[in-house]
Amino acid sequence: DLFDAGIRVPMIVRPARSRPVPRVGDTDDRLVSFVDLAPTILALAGLEQPAWMTGRDLFDPSLPPRAFVFATRDRMDEVPNRQRAVRDARWKYIRSDHPEIPNGHPLAFRDNQAMTREMRAAFEAGTLDATQRRWFEPVGREQLYDTESDPFEIRDLSRDPASSGELPRLRAALDAWLQPIGDLHEIDEAAMAESLLCKGRPCVTPPPTPVRQADRIALRPEIAGASIGYRWDEGPWRIYSTPIPAVEGERLEAKAVLYGWDESEIVEISKTVHDVGGY
């Protein structure tokens, strides 16, 4: 579910010595998102954030606080149940493409739990109260919650005239976020999977290209995002990260793999290290 109980995740960080260390008892109520995790790790490592990343360094004091965070759900195992949500410091808005489906819909994996089966039996027997029943009732097209007065998101205010002014603002925020990043929800899942294949088979990663740099050998991926492995003299494979000293062995082999693709063929860079200079 896209309630805070489902999307809030604990995180423990040990501050670097170069960063201000919070005092015991300090709190930080900024809105943060999973998309901020990778840019933060890159910044801690002293690396530049790629332009395509939408997150931000959590510890950069020059950045203004987030106005909103966003959340999504699509298919729950065998059940399509697409929802999108936006939250600011106080208000949560949830939009469902399947308003007729309850959050507590039948689901083979979840229904293996005795607790779920017992709750469903109680719902069918009519012994749940109004709040408990809501999990088994259709969610509707839109939901609106005041997380300040209702932290467990029980009272849907989307039809409350006193809160209706929040709906246009949060709808617009969600639409503005979806527009630049794109939303593939209208693409059939089978068609999406087919688009990731090459003639119906997993694509094969191109092998890396060697580049001689003085007394070192650099291995360049031919497709962005591919990881490279190398080994000397048929020894153990190692993950490539920086140019390799050209003195470790006689025979250097390398291969590349992009997540979701098949590995490249193994290429022999040289029979002897000195032959690499031809590249």
Side-chain angles (χ1 to χ4, degrees), residues 4 27 63 160 164 166 178 181:
D4 279 5
T27 61
L63 296 175
D160 180 6
S164 60
E166 301 297 334
L178 289 171
I181 68 167

Side-chain angles (χ1 to χ4, degrees), residues 36-149:
D36 298 327
L37 189 57
T40 300
I41 293 173
L42 290 174
L44 290 172
L47 300 174
E48 185 176 347
Q49 175 180 333
W52 52 265
M53 283 190 176
T54 59
R56 56 174 64 184
D57 176 10
L58 295 175
F59 303 119
D60 185 344
S62 68
L63 296 175
R66 280 186 176 277
F68 303 103
V69 291
F70 303 90
T72 68
R73 68 181 290 177
D74 285 274
R75 179 170 56 81
M76 304 298 294
D77 292 344
E78 72 272 18
V79 180
N81 190 11
R82 185 178 306 110
Q83 297 180 7
R84 305 288 183 258
V86 55
R87 189 198 195 285
D88 65 9
R90 177 175 176 178
W91 295 92
K92 162 76 75 61
Y93 168 74
I94 304 174
R95 179 189 297 164
S96 176
D97 281 9
H98 301 278
E100 75 285 357
I101 299 179
N103 286 322
H105 56 73
L107 191 71
F109 176 79
R110 186 169 60 193
D111 291 346
N112 281 326
Q113 302 177 56
M115 180 180 67
T116 303
R117 296 196 299 271
E118 184 176 346
M119 288 179 61
R120 193 179 304 284
F123 171 71
E124 293 171 352
T127 58
L128 300 181
D129 64 29
T131 298
Q132 294 167 333
R133 286 198 304 270
R134 284 197 56 218
W135 198 57
F136 295 101
E137 296 171 343
V139 297
R141 172 63 174 168
E142 296 181 308
Q143 301 169 69
L144 178 69
Y145 299 97
D146 181 351
T147 65
E148 187 175 285
S149 63

Side-chain angles (χ1 to χ4, degrees), residues 13-33:
V13 178
R14 180 181 179 183
R17 292 184 178 180
S18 60
R19 307 273 180 150
V21 178
R23 297 171 299 179
V24 174
D26 284 354
T27 61
D28 188 340
D29 59 1
R30 290 176 300 160
L31 295 170
V32 299
S33 173

